[in-house]
PDB file of all heavy atoms in Angstrom:
ATOM      1  N   SER B 510       7.406  71.216 160.680  1.00 98.00           N
ATOM      2  CA  SER B 510       7.937  72.580 160.809  1.00 98.00           C
ATOM      3  C   SER B 510       6.862  73.639 160.953  1.00 98.00           C
ATOM      4  O   SER B 510       7.026  74.769 160.482  1.00 98.00           O
ATOM      5  CB  SER B 510       8.818  72.945 159.601  1.00 98.00           C
ATOM      6  OG  SER B 510       9.773  71.952 159.377  1.00 98.00           O
ATOM      7  N   PHE B 511       5.767  73.271 161.573  1.00 98.00           N
ATOM      8  CA  PHE B 511       4.682  74.222 161.777  1.00 98.00           C
ATOM      9  C   PHE B 511       4.233  74.120 163.238  1.00 98.00           C
ATOM     10  O   PHE B 511       4.076  73.026 163.770  1.00 98.00           O
ATOM     11  CB  PHE B 511       3.510  73.897 160.844  1.00 98.00           C
ATOM     12  CG  PHE B 511       2.376  74.869 160.945  1.00 98.00           C
ATOM     13  CD1 PHE B 511       2.497  76.140 160.408  1.00 98.00           C
ATOM     14  CD2 PHE B 511       1.202  74.536 161.612  1.00 98.00           C
ATOM     15  CE1 PHE B 511       1.463  77.053 160.518  1.00 98.00           C
ATOM     16  CE2 PHE B 511       0.162  75.442 161.725  1.00 98.00           C
ATOM     17  CZ  PHE B 511       0.295  76.710 161.181  1.00 98.00           C
ATOM     18  N   ASP B 512       4.066  75.276 163.880  1.00 98.00           N
ATOM     19  CA  ASP B 512       3.726  75.304 165.306  1.00 98.00           C
ATOM     20  C   ASP B 512       2.232  75.538 165.512  1.00 98.00           C
ATOM     21  O   ASP B 512       1.688  76.528 165.018  1.00 98.00           O
ATOM     22  CB  ASP B 512       4.501  76.426 166.009  1.00 98.00           C
ATOM     23  CG  ASP B 512       6.010  76.260 165.861  1.00 98.00           C
ATOM     24  OD1 ASP B 512       6.467  75.115 165.664  1.00 98.00           O
ATOM     25  OD2 ASP B 512       6.727  77.282 165.929  1.00 98.00           O
ATOM     26  N   VAL B 513       1.594  74.656 166.227  1.00 98.00           N
ATOM     27  CA  VAL B 513       0.172  74.802 166.557  1.00 98.00           C
ATOM     28  C   VAL B 513       0.082  75.196 168.033  1.00 98.00           C
ATOM     29  O   VAL B 513       0.564  74.458 168.894  1.00 98.00           O
ATOM     30  CB  VAL B 513      -0.594  73.488 166.318  1.00 98.00           C
ATOM     31  CG1 VAL B 513      -2.064  73.649 166.694  1.00 98.00           C
ATOM     32  CG2 VAL B 513      -0.452  73.062 164.867  1.00 98.00           C
ATOM     33  N   VAL B 514      -0.522  76.340 168.290  1.00 98.00           N
ATOM     34  CA  VAL B 514      -0.485  76.906 169.639  1.00 98.00           C
ATOM     35  C   VAL B 514      -1.910  77.096 170.145  1.00 98.00           C
ATOM     36  O   VAL B 514      -2.698  77.827 169.535  1.00 98.00           O
ATOM     37  CB  VAL B 514       0.263  78.264 169.648  1.00 98.00           C
ATOM     38  CG1 VAL B 514       0.575  78.680 171.083  1.00 98.00           C
ATOM     39  CG2 VAL B 514       1.546  78.180 168.829  1.00 98.00           C
ATOM     40  N   ARG B 515      -2.229  76.454 171.258  1.00 98.00           N
ATOM     41  CA  ARG B 515      -3.601  76.521 171.782  1.00 98.00           C
ATOM     42  C   ARG B 515      -3.558  76.957 173.248  1.00 98.00           C
ATOM     43  O   ARG B 515      -3.496  76.120 174.160  1.00 98.00           O
ATOM     44  CB  ARG B 515      -4.273  75.145 171.641  1.00 98.00           C
ATOM     45  CG  ARG B 515      -5.754  75.180 171.943  1.00 98.00           C
ATOM     46  CD  ARG B 515      -6.432  73.876 171.534  1.00 98.00           C
ATOM     47  NE  ARG B 515      -7.881  73.999 171.659  1.00 98.00           N
ATOM     48  CZ  ARG B 515      -8.632  73.271 172.502  1.00 98.00           C
ATOM     49  NH1 ARG B 515      -8.089  72.366 173.291  1.00 98.00           N
ATOM     50  NH2 ARG B 515      -9.938  73.448 172.560  1.00 98.00           N
ATOM     51  N   PRO B 516      -3.604  78.261 173.471  1.00 98.00           N
ATOM     52  CA  PRO B 516      -3.482  78.770 174.842  1.00 98.00           C
ATOM     53  C   PRO B 516      -4.728  78.482 175.668  1.00 98.00           C
ATOM     54  O   PRO B 516      -5.834  78.370 175.156  1.00 98.00           O
ATOM     55  CB  PRO B 516      -3.282  80.271 174.649  1.00 98.00           C
ATOM     56  CG  PRO B 516      -3.798  80.578 173.287  1.00 98.00           C
ATOM     57  CD  PRO B 516      -3.675  79.337 172.470  1.00 98.00           C
ATOM     58  N   ALA B 517      -4.515  78.399 176.983  1.00 98.00           N
ATOM     59  CA  ALA B 517      -5.582  77.996 177.900  1.00 98.00           C
ATOM     60  C   ALA B 517      -6.312  79.174 178.521  1.00 98.00           C
ATOM     61  O   ALA B 517      -7.413  79.015 179.038  1.00 98.00           O
ATOM     62  CB  ALA B 517      -5.005  77.122 179.014  1.00 98.00           C
ATOM     63  N   ASP B 518      -5.695  80.329 178.503  1.00 98.00           N
ATOM     64  CA  ASP B 518      -6.381  81.506 179.052  1.00 98.00           C
ATOM     65  C   ASP B 518      -5.802  82.757 178.419  1.00 98.00           C
ATOM     66  O   ASP B 518      -4.939  82.687 177.534  1.00 98.00           O
ATOM     67  CB  ASP B 518      -6.328  81.524 180.586  1.00 98.00           C
ATOM     68  CG  ASP B 518      -4.953  81.912 181.133  1.00 98.00           C
ATOM     69  OD1 ASP B 518      -3.991  82.013 180.345  1.00 98.00           O
ATOM     70  OD2 ASP B 518      -4.853  82.111 182.357  1.00 98.00           O
ATOM     71  N   ALA B 519      -6.271  83.898 178.885  1.00 98.00           N
ATOM     72  CA  ALA B 519      -5.873  85.173 178.276  1.00 98.00           C
ATOM     73  C   ALA B 519      -4.365  85.403 178.380  1.00 98.00           C
ATOM     74  O   ALA B 519      -3.732  85.849 177.412  1.00 98.00           O
ATOM     75  CB  ALA B 519      -6.643  86.317 178.935  1.00 98.00           C
ATOM     76  N   ASN B 520      -3.791  85.090 179.546  1.00 98.00           N
ATOM     77  CA  ASN B 520      -2.358  85.350 179.692  1.00 98.00           C
ATOM     78  C   ASN B 520      -1.513  84.389 178.861  1.00 98.00           C
ATOM     79  O   ASN B 520      -0.466  84.776 178.325  1.00 98.00           O
ATOM     80  CB  ASN B 520      -1.963  85.289 181.165  1.00 98.00           C
ATOM     81  CG  ASN B 520      -2.476  86.513 181.914  1.00 98.00           C
ATOM     82  OD1 ASN B 520      -2.227  87.648 181.506  1.00 98.00           O
ATOM     83  ND2 ASN B 520      -3.245  86.288 182.969  1.00 98.00           N
ATOM     84  N   GLU B 521      -1.964  83.152 178.749  1.00 98.00           N
ATOM     85  CA  GLU B 521      -1.250  82.242 177.839  1.00 98.00           C
ATOM     86  C   GLU B 521      -1.330  82.757 176.405  1.00 98.00           C
ATOM     87  O   GLU B 521      -0.403  82.576 175.615  1.00 98.00           O
ATOM     88  CB  GLU B 521      -1.831  80.818 177.919  1.00 98.00           C
ATOM     89  CG  GLU B 521      -1.344  80.005 179.102  1.00 98.00           C
ATOM     90  CD  GLU B 521      -1.510  78.496 178.896  1.00 98.00           C
ATOM     91  OE1 GLU B 521      -1.892  78.076 177.788  1.00 98.00           O
ATOM     92  OE2 GLU B 521      -1.258  77.745 179.857  1.00 98.00           O
ATOM     93  N   THR B 522      -2.424  83.412 176.087  1.00 98.00           N
ATOM     94  CA  THR B 522      -2.581  83.947 174.732  1.00 98.00           C
ATOM     95  C   THR B 522      -1.542  85.035 174.457  1.00 98.00           C
ATOM     96  O   THR B 522      -0.921  85.060 173.383  1.00 98.00           O
ATOM     97  CB  THR B 522      -4.006  84.503 174.541  1.00 98.00           C
ATOM     98  OG1 THR B 522      -4.942  83.497 174.911  1.00 98.00           O
ATOM     99  CG2 THR B 522      -4.246  84.919 173.104  1.00 98.00           C
ATOM    100  N   GLY B 523      -1.361  85.905 175.420  1.00 98.00           N
ATOM    101  CA  GLY B 523      -0.344  86.950 175.273  1.00 98.00           C
ATOM    102  C   GLY B 523       1.046  86.348 175.117  1.00 98.00           C
ATOM    103  O   GLY B 523       1.822  86.735 174.237  1.00 98.00           O
ATOM    104  N   ALA B 524       1.336  85.366 175.971  1.00 98.00           N
ATOM    105  CA  ALA B 524       2.656  84.717 175.901  1.00 98.00           C
ATOM    106  C   ALA B 524       2.818  83.975 174.579  1.00 98.00           C
ATOM    107  O   ALA B 524       3.916  83.910 174.016  1.00 98.00           O
ATOM    108  CB  ALA B 524       2.812  83.752 177.071  1.00 98.00           C
ATOM    109  N   ALA B 525       1.714  83.422 174.073  1.00 98.00           N
ATOM    110  CA  ALA B 525       1.769  82.703 172.797  1.00 98.00           C
ATOM    111  C   ALA B 525       2.132  83.663 171.663  1.00 98.00           C
ATOM    112  O   ALA B 525       3.008  83.376 170.840  1.00 98.00           O
ATOM    113  CB  ALA B 525       0.436  82.025 172.514  1.00 98.00           C
ATOM    114  N   TRP B 526       1.468  84.804 171.620  1.00 98.00           N
ATOM    115  CA  TRP B 526       1.781  85.798 170.582  1.00 98.00           C
ATOM    116  C   TRP B 526       3.252  86.216 170.656  1.00 98.00           C
ATOM    117  O   TRP B 526       3.943  86.287 169.635  1.00 98.00           O
ATOM    118  CB  TRP B 526       0.881  87.042 170.726  1.00 98.00           C
ATOM    119  CG  TRP B 526      -0.315  87.027 169.831  1.00 98.00           C
ATOM    120  CD1 TRP B 526      -1.619  86.912 170.203  1.00 98.00           C
ATOM    121  CD2 TRP B 526      -0.321  87.148 168.397  1.00 98.00           C
ATOM    122  NE1 TRP B 526      -2.443  86.945 169.103  1.00 98.00           N
ATOM    123  CE2 TRP B 526      -1.680  87.091 167.978  1.00 98.00           C
ATOM    124  CE3 TRP B 526       0.658  87.276 167.414  1.00 98.00           C
ATOM    125  CZ2 TRP B 526      -2.064  87.170 166.630  1.00 98.00           C
ATOM    126  CZ3 TRP B 526       0.289  87.353 166.071  1.00 98.00           C
ATOM    127  CH2 TRP B 526      -1.054  87.301 165.700  1.00 98.00           C
ATOM    128  N   LEU B 527       3.704  86.474 171.865  1.00 98.00           N
ATOM    129  CA  LEU B 527       5.088  86.917 172.057  1.00 98.00           C
ATOM    130  C   LEU B 527       6.064  85.857 171.546  1.00 98.00           C
ATOM    131  O   LEU B 527       7.025  86.168 170.831  1.00 98.00           O
ATOM    132  CB  LEU B 527       5.286  87.168 173.558  1.00 98.00           C
ATOM    133  CG  LEU B 527       6.442  88.039 173.999  1.00 98.00           C
ATOM    134  CD1 LEU B 527       6.396  89.404 173.326  1.00 98.00           C
ATOM    135  CD2 LEU B 527       6.394  88.203 175.530  1.00 98.00           C
TER     136      LEU B 527
END
Side-chain angles (χ1 to χ4, degrees):
Chain B
S510 309
F511 183 73
D512 301 335
V513 179
V514 193
R515 189 169 188 243
D518 75 351
N520 287 307
E521 280 201 6
T522 307
W526 263 112
L527 199 55

